[in-house]
Amino acid sequence: MYNIVIFYVTVFIFSICTAVNDYSYLINTTQCTIPNLPAFYHSWNNYTPSYPISCSSFEPVSYITVERDVVTLHIRTEVIQKQFGNSDDNTCCYSVISRHGSVDYPDVGYVFSSYCRSFKNSARLYDDTVVVLCHNSTEDTTNGYPSNFWYSNIHQVVRRTPNLVRKAELLKESSRKKPISVLIVVIDAVSRLNFIRTMPKTRDFVTQNGFHEFRGYNKIDDNTFPNAMAFFSGMNQNQSVDICQPWTLDGLNNCPLIWYDYRDLGYITAYAEDWSDIATFNYLKKGFKVPPTDYYFKPYMDSLRFLRTEIQDGMPFCAGPESQGDRMLNLAFDFAKNMKGLPSFGVFWMNTFSHNVITTPKTMDDKVKQLFQRLKSVGVLDESVVILISDHGIRFGEILNTTRGYYEVRLPMNYISLPHWFKERYPDETRNFLDNAKVLTSTYDMYMTLQDLLVLSGTDYKVKSSRACPKCKSIFAKIPNERSCSDAGISNKWCTCNLDLDMDK
Ligand SMILES: *[C@@H]1O[C@H](CO)[C@@H](O)[C@H](O)[C@H]1NC(C)=O
Ligand SMILES: *[C@@H]1O[C@H](CO)[C@@H](O)[C@H](O)[C@H]1NC(C)=O
Ligand SMILES: *[C@@H]1O[C@H](CO)[C@@H](O)[C@H](O)[C@H]1NC(C)=O
Ligand SMILES: *[C@@H]1O[C@H](CO)[C@@H](O)[C@H](O)[C@H]1NC(C)=O
């Protein structure tokens, strides 16, 4: 036993030394070296990984199908039969959910319509967010709602609407070039190394299917809000506060967030975030007085509180019979699939299986991999730029006391896929993109990239330099090899270049 420990410690120290001193650098440019730390340390063997928890022991009783513009709500009578006995004794009803905040917090809250409409087996839906309740048919529901329901679930439909299709078609006709759709999938608090450790199936799938790893991707501030603002607006925390005043009612609606440009130029836009209570633009802030994007899923996510919540590692993992993560992955897929062929810009930001504990992302590895498989199978990867990214590494736990934790919290994962047609049409941009995957990049560069995609889309959009980082560049432009942290808008506190840290710590 003792010998084995000595052996591991020796291997451990040896691998660290070689990583730092000899041959292996993640980034090795004139102004920036970052050591290529191994994802796995022997001490990781002591970590108990979290195992998936199942949110329901049987298939959800209700589900939705979308065929062109016909949306149908279905009941699985065979599941009722099996789980709850005679399905004739049971009946289900649905009710419509709408956004319904207070005067002070218009972005928080939901309301059910005044009655619950009974249906048998299936019903055509004309609304997009519905709650389904199933109950004993002898219960009198003339007052509107059953009180003794034994099943509840909430569904969100993502369907094309004529107005949005018209807007997007107009952009296609007026653009000088083919508009580029963008799909952004965010898993909060996942470093590049933790992605390698906890989501190996997803990582294998994306890297084998054309995603490029931006391995020198460095965050610019501590937590989600400033990094999200840097990504969507090119501003730092102070500028965001001064210019957007997120504590005032109209602040974030009058804030230069890139998705407004996409929306106003004709793209169909979407924003979704799970774990409503800590949502990026709502936590200690006012949120959006009016929905910021064409599709805005906050009311849906808020309404999940009505369902049974099951906590995993301190996070609201299950919302009723489905996990919040599954719900987000389905939204991302439905949006990308149903808007396919039209210019779209969608952001799907997940927290509920990654935010608190370093091992929990493992519980969703299969499901996240399936999202990318499904996106591939319906052709989204052939059409859109797809970004799988995080805002920072894990911000809790004992890893923060180690040198590798110091690196990991600063170096979030960033994987980007370009469709084949883009690479053919833009060989110079593609070459820069491949080169830049190996240099230091920052969150502000991503803002410049999202602007560049509007220009490459042939719109009249005029690029603005990032307020916090005037030298930052789109990853489709040539980023100089001699780039330093300050060139990339990264302050000393967050910089991972040229550090001389005690690697045994
Ligand atoms: C890092 O770059 C320098 C300068 O180009 C080069 O001499 C050195 O061999 C590189 N080191 C590694 C480990 O690649
Ligand atoms: C429904 O309620 C009636 C009356 O309370 C009861 O006799 C019956 O067993 C119930 N059926 C189911 C499926 O629970
Ligand atoms: C932001 O504002 C605070 C408080 O006014 C100040 O101490 C800090 O230096 C500012 N940070 C930056 C990056 O400007
Ligand atoms: C980090 O180390 C300090 C000092 O040993 C300790 O008090 C603290 O609890 C540790 N933090 C974590 C998150 O392990």
Side-chain angles (χ1 to χ4, degrees), residues 56-63 73-93 119-122 132-137 149-152:
S56 174
S57 57
F58 51 90
E59 253 192 307
V61 165
S62 56
Y63 66 101
L73 171 62
H74 304 266
I75 293 296
R76 292 189 170 97
T77 44
E78 72 285 1
V79 176
I80 298 186
Q81 191 77 42
K82 191 152 168 258
Q83 300 295 329
F84 302 98
N86 187 0
S87 57
D88 294 340
D89 282 352
N90 294 301
T91 187
C92 301
C93 64
F119 69 108
K120 217 51 196 167
N121 301 341
S122 70
V132 177
L133 304 173
C134 297
H135 59 99
N136 187 330
S137 54
F149 49 88
W150 44 260
Y151 170 81
S152 57

Side-chain angles (χ1 to χ4, degrees), residues 40-150:
F40 291 93
Y41 289 77
H42 76 289
S43 60
W44 280 97
N45 295 338
N46 299 334
Y47 273 67
T48 313
S50 311
Y51 292 101
I53 60 170
S54 173
C55 296
S56 174
S57 57
F58 51 90
E59 253 192 307
V61 165
S62 56
Y63 66 101
I64 276 180
T65 55
V66 181
E67 298 284 344
R68 296 191 170 274
D69 57 351
V70 178
V71 178
T72 312
L73 171 62
H74 304 266
I75 293 296
R76 292 189 170 97
T77 44
E78 72 285 1
V79 176
I80 298 186
Q81 191 77 42
K82 191 152 168 258
Q83 300 295 329
F84 302 98
N86 187 0
S87 57
D88 294 340
D89 282 352
N90 294 301
T91 187
C92 301
C93 64
Y94 74 91
S95 154
V96 177
I97 297 174
S98 319
R99 186 175 198 250
H100 187 77
S102 64
V103 174
D104 280 346
Y105 288 92
D107 202 16
V108 180
Y110 63 94
V111 64
F112 288 175
S113 57
S114 58
Y115 66 97
C116 198
R117 184 193 294 265
S118 289
F119 69 108
K120 217 51 196 167
N121 301 341
S122 70
R124 181 160 175 192
L125 286 186
Y126 296 91
D127 297 284
D128 291 343
T129 318
V130 294
V131 57
V132 177
L133 304 173
C134 297
H135 59 99
N136 187 330
S137 54
T138 57
E139 188 183 349
D140 177 13
T141 56
T142 45
N143 286 337
Y145 278 85
S147 50
N148 259 325
F149 49 88
W150 44 260

Side-chain angles (χ1 to χ4, degrees), residues 22-25 28-30 33:
D22 295 338
Y23 52 88
S24 186
Y25 286 102
N28 182 27
T29 56
T30 54
T33 56

